[in-house]
Amino acid sequence: MLIDHPRWSSELAAWGKALPHPRAILVISAHWEASPLAHGATTSPMPLLYDFGGFPERFYRLTYPAPGNPGLVDRITALLGKAPTADPGRGLDHGAFIPLMLMYPGADIPVLQISLPTPAPKGLYDLGRRLAPLRDEGVLIFATGLLTHTFNIPDMSNPDAAPDPVLAHFDAWLGDALTRRDTNALLDYRTQAPGVRKALPTHEHFVPLFVALGAAVDDDAVTFPHHGFWFGNSMRSVQIG
């Protein structure tokens, strides 16, 4: 439903225009946990996975006919020394195609989605490290989720209500740690970050961040093209490099 939020949608559109145009996009989404590492469909146009229920019918008619990217599977195999498991029938889930619709509405960039193979920050960080050479080859490494993810919100009638102070504190800590590139603190966020249990009852929406962190180089600047709250959850978008 965030595609109906005017600020979020307009800022993602502006972000897509401001970035160098990628040759390809590699997506890792909170909505696909599978071990060992797997890759989804490589056919063109890419199929979509409407992995949500109870929403208005128009959401199930959304399209994003991006080209598939079988060549990127071969490149990932070379970098990892092992081919990801193929799941050829799995299309882009809503964590992937909704933001891509806003950032790259032309659907003309080849896309490949891979799974979250582990919830462990260090494992995902190491995966990002091994995938980092893709950046120099024009591939956008696109990690997607939410930096806080709870629906235990007092006011579910107002998407723009002020966030719970605990979630706001967690978000501020995260923004500071990212800006300082304090990788050790971020990897140990379960212990060091304030309000983790309330901000993240489950962690799958947060941990894709570590793939992006791993793919970064030491002098990459961290910026936040979008920062706000929606139903009390942090909508902070993070750009590294």
Side-chain angles (χ1 to χ4, degrees):
M1 291 177 66
L2 271 163
I3 58 173
D4 293 336
H5 193 288
R7 180 184 166 197
W8 188 78
S9 57
S10 63
E11 289 187 353
L12 259 68
W15 190 12
K17 291 176 182 177
L19 288 170
H21 198 70
R23 179 182 64 81
I25 299 172
L26 177 64
V27 180
I28 186 162
S29 162
H31 295 276
W32 187 17
E33 298 175 85
S35 181
L37 183 74
H39 74 81
T42 59
T43 51
S44 300
M46 285 286 292
L48 301 185
L49 178 63
Y50 301 96
D51 55 332
F52 46 85
F55 290 87
E57 177 62 27
R58 63 189 173 88
F59 289 109
Y60 303 93
R61 295 196 298 269
L62 295 172
T63 61
Y64 191 73
N69 198 337
L72 190 51
V73 176
D74 296 335
R75 185 69 183 111
I76 291 171
T77 299
L79 290 171
L80 301 183
K82 182 179 180 181
T85 301
D87 190 349
R90 195 185 193 285
L92 299 175
D93 61 50
H94 76 275
F97 74 79
I98 293 293
L100 290 178
M101 285 177 64
L102 298 171
M103 294 181 71
Y104 300 105
D108 56 351
I109 303 171
V111 179
L112 178 71
Q113 184 166 352
I114 57 175
S115 68
L116 269 174
T118 174
K122 186 61 166 59
L124 294 172
Y125 182 85
D126 290 344
L127 174 63
R129 277 291 199 224
R130 298 174 74 181
L131 295 174
L134 295 174
R135 292 182 49 185
D136 294 330
E137 301 165 16
V139 178
L140 174 65
I141 297 176
F142 192 78
T144 168
L146 284 175
L147 295 184
T148 68
H149 191 247
T150 177
F151 293 101
N152 185 22
I153 306 298
D155 184 4
M156 285 299 290
S157 65
N158 180 8
D160 296 312
D164 184 301
V166 175
L167 270 66
H169 191 194
F170 176 89
D171 173 77
W173 178 90
L174 179 63
D176 176 67
L178 284 166
T179 300
R180 292 186 291 104
R181 291 295 301 274
D182 190 343
T183 302
N184 289 333
L186 290 163
L187 288 170
D188 192 32
Y189 77 94
R190 288 180 183 245
T191 300
Q192 297 196 32
V196 170
R197 289 188 178 183
K198 193 165 190 178
L200 296 168
T202 62
H203 294 256
E204 75 287 341
H205 271 74
F206 182 80
V207 295
L209 172 66
F210 291 104
V211 180
L213 282 171
V217 295
D218 292 341
D219 59 352
D220 278 338
V222 175
T223 55
F224 307 112
H226 174 87
H227 182 220
F229 291 86
W230 182 69
F231 286 111
N233 281 294
S234 172
M235 296 307 302
R236 187 188 292 269
S237 297
V238 182
Q239 179 177 328
I240 309 174

